[in-house]
Amino acid sequence: MTPRESWIPGLPAGDLFGIHNLPYGLVSGPPLTRATLVVRIGDHVLDLAAAAVGSEHAPLLEASSLNPLLAAGRPVWRAARTAVVSWLSDETFRARIEPLLLPLAGLRCHLPFEVADYVDFYSSEHHATTVGRLFRPGSPALPVNWKHLPIGYHGRAGTVVVSGTPIARPSGQRLVDGAPAFGPSLRLDIEAEVGFVVGGPTALGEQVSLSQAAEHIFGVCLVNDWSARDIQAWEYVPLGPFLGKSFATSVSPWIVPLDALATARVAPPARDHPLLPYLDDTKHDGSAPDGGGLDIALTVSVNESVVSRPPFASMYWTPFQQLAHLTANGASLRAGDFFASGTVSGPKRGQEGSLLELTLNGAEPVELDDGSVRAFLEDGDEVVITGQVAAAPGRPALGLGEVRGRVVAGPA
Amino acid sequence: MTPRESWIPGLPAGDLFGIHNLPYGLVSGPPLTRATLVVRIGDHVLDLAAAAVGSEHAPLLEASSLNPLLAAGRPVWRAARTAVVSWLSDETFRARIEPLLLPLAGLRCHLPFEVADYVDFYSSEHHATTVGRLFRPGSPALPVNWKHLPIGYHGRAGTVVVSGTPIARPSGQRLVDGAPAFGPSLRLDIEAEVGFVVGGPTALGEQVSLSQAAEHIFGVCLVNDWSARDIQAWEYVPLGPFLGKSFATSVSPWIVPLDALATARVAPPARDHPLLPYLDDTKHDGSAPDGGGLDIALTVSVNESVVSRPPFASMYWTPFQQLAHLTANGASLRAGDFFASGTVSGPKRGQEGSLLELTLNGAEPVELDDGSVRAFLEDGDEVVITGQVAAAPGRPALGLGEVRGRVVAGPA
């Protein structure tokens, strides 16, 4: 796609939500009469249902979720994006389109897709190593399978919520003085992740190859996979996390098209174990690597104090490997399938994507700007995770926005 | 509900699908013009969309899945069932209803509900103990948390399929001579389970108490949770089963209303560990137990040879405890949520719900009636799991039907 500039008045060059980005969302509020699909540009949104009237894209963009568009597959995603770019950059459309722009302020954002299945991976080597040391002392920090496959598990699709939804502190079983007791989690944590929205359904039995995986990834968002560490630690052997995770997963409201992130692709970390062919993204002919990583810089803040800056480029397994693995057994994909990267933690202190790691399981609490300290989250704490692609030569700056959530006391 | 007899000609007294049962299904085929909700009676089905015309239940029963009915909640489920019983037992309805009965033979059964989230439990003490010995030699056979909570995990909702769907042998990573290799599973297995279809949605943050759990369980079916043991064994530490399970889960086409199973309720095994109050189903006043178990007799056959007779009454954790646990952290329920009991294995040899247990991980293959032996499943093998409630004083015999699936070679 040729970079263009938008005709939108007052849109600064280099705006994080400029013409190069155009993430999809679902909003409601006057003057809209129902939840409506939009793209964001600057601090405005374009009403896609209204803009698409009479176009070939109308049946998909009039919907009240992205799922019909997700089902249509990548050629349609590309065509729709090309149309939207034209509408917002070609002066010949301006008279028709400009009245369909609405200020974002005052509108309410909704989850823009219906989640089919939700899978959470575990693809940061630094996260997995630290968590292994904390949860499984005496065992190898990194599980023996970790460098051979992207470990993942299914989460609860029905409790994926949009940014801004209050997060009630979950109750559950956890050990108190060595005995199980029921009550509010005492170790409520965050996990800063990046999420991938899937479309282009496949049939049962069909494998999606590494080279085809991008055809099924519509877009990217931010994820906070809230985690009750005490509930998780007691329940997770042998079948994995369940109630320690299933109470809520928050996602940012803007789905950035994968096509918008083409210039943010980077090579993943060097592979120090040979990979089986279905996961092998190394080039064996000496040419440049595939660039399955994405150079997205995250920040994690608690009550407006930045506590961490996780670099997504440090992830060992890429989303393309994750999707190839997810379907290697013939599991089918549906429009609205969603998978998250796993906690993003870089190699350095201050790059950890969870309080568990930042505080070494509470041993070294973090200090906030107001002088208070946190081992884990307290009621009233507000967590915000942001993501952006920094501008660089040949690459525009892009925003992923934020995923926000405030912890509130659970039911008595 | 007063037991009645149906006016259906030729329906034998004691038929497994008599007036006491009336399971719901979704069928298509001439003379029907679309997939249509039905109840089964004997070897016929009643077209519910046609039968409900003009009644208060029409909007729910005209749907092409049970989900609208599931969303309506138990009072509506009871009223709809009462109406259906009347239509099929009261002579005054006969002239209108009899033409709406269709022979089941020749109709195609579909999955009668859209699966929202799928959770699989692990609630047979005998299964968990044997699997623990086989998978984790040197550790306690039963995990330390097992008697304190019903262990469970989320499975893949998108690959739940109806009985009769061919099951392609999955490929994946498994250890060969100690090194990971990719290829078709060499240890394809079954898990005979009972499944529970959920309705009566709840809000995020709401806990469903043990005493309220039955209000959210619409009905019961049979489940074969196909499992690739070699893929599972390599992948499952530390986050649980993933690709070893996610390729397919088969369910029987008939959803037997929980109300039809009232007389099949039995006390679960004695609890030898005290339970936290939210899971405690023991009576502390000496009165009769709650009877959260269900006396359903399963059979497992491979190529028409019965290899096992698992007794569901032996399950340690009941579906009511499972649902109370699933929501203890405030996780919301949606119409179409589905959970399975975990492999049903009784205390004796010949009552195991998986080949893993029956053959002690392949060490003692089972012999089929044709003289061939099986450690795990071969391509072409057909597995059928049946379930029924035996007649007893005060209790009619009831059928759950069967869940059937044939293994076919996976893609090359």
Side-chain angles (χ1 to χ4, degrees), chain B residues 45-339:
Chain B
V45 296
L46 172 63
D47 176 343
L48 288 175
V53 167
S55 88
E56 61 183 313
H57 305 296
L60 302 175
L61 299 181
E62 285 167 3
S64 58
S65 90
L66 285 170
N67 288 54
L69 180 62
L70 296 175
R74 178 158 293 285
V76 174
W77 306 341
R78 288 219 173 98
R81 181 166 164 81
T82 299
V84 173
V85 168
S86 293
W87 295 339
L88 291 168
S89 61
D90 189 332
E91 282 285 346
T92 61
F93 292 106
R94 183 168 180 174
R96 184 173 76 84
I97 294 295
E98 195 162 5
L100 308 179
L101 291 167
L102 304 170
L104 177 57
L107 295 173
R108 180 175 166 204
C109 291
H110 303 270
L111 191 65
F113 63 106
E114 295 158 22
V115 184
D117 271 300
Y118 166 46
V119 168
D120 192 25
F121 285 95
Y122 189 59
S123 290
S124 158
E125 180 174 0
H126 314 293
H127 171 73
T129 302
T130 305
V131 170
R133 283 199 192 107
L134 294 171
F135 269 33
R136 292 176 289 280
S139 295
L142 211 54
V144 293
N145 53 7
W146 199 93
K147 289 266 171 120
H148 297 281
L149 53 81
I151 292 175
Y153 66 101
H154 284 86
R156 190 164 186 81
T159 53
V160 174
V161 297
V162 74
S163 175
T165 305
I167 304 300
R169 180 179 297 272
S171 286
Q173 280 196 40
R174 62 282 189 281
L175 294 183
V176 176
D177 298 330
F182 186 88
S185 171
L186 303 173
R187 291 175 174 261
L188 184 58
D189 198 0
I190 58 178
E191 291 195 339
E193 309 195 13
V194 173
F196 299 89
V197 180
V198 171
T202 62
L204 195 64
E206 187 177 339
Q207 300 174 4
V208 174
S209 69
L210 191 53
S211 62
Q212 284 296 305
E215 297 300 300
H216 297 275
I217 299 178
F218 172 80
V220 180
C221 63
L222 301 170
V223 178
N224 186 345
D225 188 40
W226 305 91
S227 299
R229 299 300 180 191
D230 42 1
I231 297 173
Q232 181 185 354
W234 170 233
E235 75 178 357
Y236 91 104
V237 175
L239 300 187
F242 183 32
L243 297 181
K245 302 276 194 173
S246 64
F247 55 97
T249 304
S250 299
V251 301
S252 57
W254 302 112
I255 311 301
V256 175
L258 186 65
D259 287 334
L261 293 166
T263 58
R265 298 276 289 265
V266 292
R271 280 65 175 81
D272 47 16
H273 278 55
L275 294 176
L276 287 167
Y278 82 105
L279 292 174
D280 192 359
D281 62 356
T282 54
K283 291 287 183 74
H284 299 283
D285 60 0
S287 65
D290 275 338
L294 290 167
D295 190 11
I296 302 169
L298 306 184
T299 70
V300 179
S301 66
V302 178
N303 301 342
E304 300 186 355
S305 301
V306 174
V307 296
S308 178
R309 298 184 183 279
F312 190 68
S314 68
M315 299 297 280
Y316 193 86
W317 297 103
T318 73
F320 311 104
Q321 290 171 314
Q322 290 169 337
L323 196 67
H325 184 63
L326 194 159
T327 60
N329 67 348
S332 45
L333 297 176
R334 293 182 291 169
D337 278 349
F338 183 56
F339 66 97

Side-chain angles (χ1 to χ4, degrees), chain A residues 35 37 55 114 127 203 236 248 281 283 318:
Chain A
L37 288 177
S55 88
E114 295 156 24
H127 171 73
Y236 92 105
D281 61 357
K283 291 287 182 76
T318 72

Side-chain angles (χ1 to χ4, degrees), chain B residues 16 261 263-264 295-297 387-391 395-400:
Chain B
L16 291 175
L261 293 166
T263 58
D295 190 11
I296 302 169
Q388 75 176 70
V389 176
R395 157 174 126 173
L398 291 173
L400 278 81

Side-chain angles (χ1 to χ4, degrees), chain A residues 260-283:
Chain A
L261 293 167
T263 58
R265 298 278 287 267
V266 292
R271 279 68 175 81
D272 48 15
H273 278 54
L275 295 176
L276 287 167
Y278 82 104
L279 292 174
D280 192 358
D281 61 357
T282 54
K283 291 287 182 76

